[in-house]
Amino acid sequence: MTDLETRAAPSPRRVAPALLGYAAVRAMGLLALALWSAARDKSAYTLLTARWDALWYTRVAELGYGYEVRLPNGDVHSNLAFFPLLPWLERLLHAAAPLSYADAGFVVSLLASLAAAWGIFAVADHVYGRRAGVCAVLVWALLPVGIVQSMAYSESLFTALAAWSLYALLTGRWVTAGALASLSGLTRPVGLAVIAAVWATGAATFLQRDPDAPAMAPFGRRGGAAREPGVRTAAHTPDGAHPAIRALGMLIAPLGAAGYVLWVGHHTGGGPLGYLDVQAGWRNGFDGGYAFARFVADKFTSFPAALAGLALTVGVALLIWLYVVCVRQRQPLPLLVYAGAVLALALCASSYFGSKPRLLLPAFPLLLPLALALARLRTPRSALVTGAVAVAAAVYGAWWLNGSGPP
């Protein structure tokens, strides 16, 4: 493989199996949702486009910022908590096509989910090879909360921007990485994870003594994961970018998030940290995981709830174990920093505990060990496993959205 081929984004032909598999899984999920919703006399499309956060996004797109709801307990839910990139795209598409704001949000999410799948493939293909790339996309699609990828939410848009920013880092495109990180910072607060990946990788390249060493290898080690049957050894492209270009990418990365947070502070009169006051109105914050730990511990006070507490404990342990495996497999530094930051921000938030599975959806590097395990299976067996999990995920997603759904 030439250097040009290593650096170029995967061609449509190369990524086609991954995108077709992704589309098939998502179509199965949408079909299950439609059937389940019809049986309960509900509209599947309404569940996807006009419930929960989707309503807040479309209201921002239609009316702009300034709307808030005051609850009886004194809490203030302001739409300033929702970052602007998705509403901007909804407004743009609404103006360009005969679509409602809700329809525009669904289309943006649909296209963004495909872009996210392509970006996940690009990252996994670059590090571990094509088969692992296809499997990484399938594992992301098969997540129990994967139905959110088809909702008029910002998770798919954010994941697309994050994945392509990480790919740009892996291939030495610093300005592109910084620009995409900046856009991710206009999409969700967890854009800080992408910014951290850009800054950590930039710092590592500046501190690296050997200019010819692969800048993306974590902890300064050359090379990557051990070679496995059917899986290419992790590849890292030497970074020959000029230090000024790296610095420019690092400077661009935080502009989106910083710009919106400062604007909110100015708009509310709360100063540079005014956005934190907005989040406090939603009882959102960062307490190091104390509130979540108490939430889980409280589940063990009665027998039926103890089962849920046990499931939560196992789930958190599994996430931490996956991250440890990622470190042991020596994933590139940008992926480790990004996944670790997403994991920390999701688990250590102080409210909306039911949202945590959805908040973890963008942490796709955590899925790479599972993708590698799937890639090692023979094709008939991997197809059987994928099909069985796809059916289970589709049924769960339909049940979930028709029940409590994502808060």
Side-chain angles (χ1 to χ4, degrees):
M1 179 175 290
T2 68
D3 185 66
L4 179 61
E5 289 172 333
T6 301
R7 287 177 172 268
S11 66
R13 175 177 294 182
R14 185 173 182 83
V15 75
L19 294 184
L20 289 174
Y22 177 79
V25 173
R26 290 272 40 86
M28 183 182 297
L30 292 175
L31 177 61
L33 177 64
L35 295 175
W36 195 297
S37 301
R40 294 175 57 88
D41 197 26
K42 290 185 177 181
S43 168
Y45 191 69
T46 298
L47 293 175
L48 293 170
T49 62
R51 293 284 302 277
W52 307 292
D53 289 8
L55 286 175
W56 288 90
Y57 282 118
T58 55
R59 189 176 284 118
V60 172
E62 183 177 6
L63 303 174
Y65 286 106
Y67 176 81
E68 62 183 29
V69 175
R70 294 185 176 270
L71 303 183
N73 66 354
D75 290 344
V76 178
H77 287 185
S78 169
N79 64 0
L80 289 168
F82 296 87
F83 277 50
L85 186 57
L86 177 58
W88 286 348
L89 294 175
E90 289 178 347
R91 182 180 297 179
L92 179 64
L93 190 55
H94 169 76
L99 297 172
S100 69
Y101 290 104
D103 294 339
F106 180 72
V107 172
V108 170
S109 181
L110 179 65
L111 296 177
S113 68
L114 293 172
W118 197 330
I120 292 170
F121 173 85
V123 170
D125 177 36
H126 178 79
V127 178
Y128 294 116
R130 185 184 188 188
R131 185 176 177 86
V134 172
C135 291
V137 171
L138 291 176
V139 172
W140 189 64
L142 293 170
L143 290 174
V145 295
I147 190 66
V148 175
Q149 298 164 14
S150 301
M151 298 180 68
Y153 272 40
S154 60
E155 274 75 10
S156 290
L157 177 61
F158 174 79
T159 305
L161 294 168
W164 284 107
S165 179
L166 293 172
Y167 180 74
L169 278 178
L170 291 172
T171 54
R173 297 183 176 93
W174 285 89
V175 174
T176 299
L180 292 173
S182 183
L183 290 175
S184 74
L186 284 171
T187 307
R188 297 186 62 82
V190 75
L192 292 174
V194 190
I195 298 168
V198 173
W199 275 72
T201 307
T205 60
F206 281 119
L207 294 174
Q208 190 168 271
R209 293 182 179 180
D210 182 0
D212 296 323
M216 300 303 111
F219 315 122
R221 175 182 173 182
R222 301 190 187 192
R227 183 178 296 276
E228 299 287 350
V231 179
R232 189 177 70 206
T233 301
H236 308 291
T237 302
D239 180 17
H242 191 278
I245 299 298
R246 299 178 197 167
L248 179 60
M250 294 172 67
L251 289 174
I252 293 173
L255 293 183
Y260 181 68
V261 168
L262 291 175
W263 178 82
V264 170
H266 175 74
H267 183 77
T268 61
L273 301 180
Y275 182 77
L276 298 181
D277 296 330
V278 172
Q279 286 285 13
W282 287 80
R283 301 213 171 188
N284 277 336
F286 188 88
D287 64 357
Y290 175 73
F292 183 48
R294 287 191 57 185
F295 173 77
V296 175
D298 289 343
K299 294 293 184 181
F300 290 95
T301 57
S302 62
F303 173 70
L307 297 177
L310 180 62
L312 287 170
T313 303
V314 172
V316 172
L318 176 61
L319 289 170
I320 295 173
W321 175 76
L322 282 174
Y323 187 74
V324 171
V325 173
C326 291
V327 174
R328 294 182 64 184
Q329 291 181 342
R330 307 197 65 82
Q331 282 188 14
L333 179 63
L335 304 188
L336 291 177
V337 173
Y338 168 75
V342 174
L343 184 61
L345 291 171
L347 294 183
C348 296
S350 61
S351 188
Y352 290 93
F353 307 117
S355 297
K356 294 192 183 296
R358 172 172 67 86
L359 298 179
L360 287 163
L361 197 61
F364 68 89
L366 293 177
L367 304 176
L368 292 182
L370 301 178
L372 289 173
L374 184 63
R376 295 181 192 117
L377 298 178
R378 294 184 180 275
T379 300
R381 181 172 295 182
S382 64
L384 180 63
V385 171
T386 300
V389 177
V391 171
V395 172
Y396 177 81
W399 169 80
W400 186 48
L401 282 198
N402 278 277
S404 61

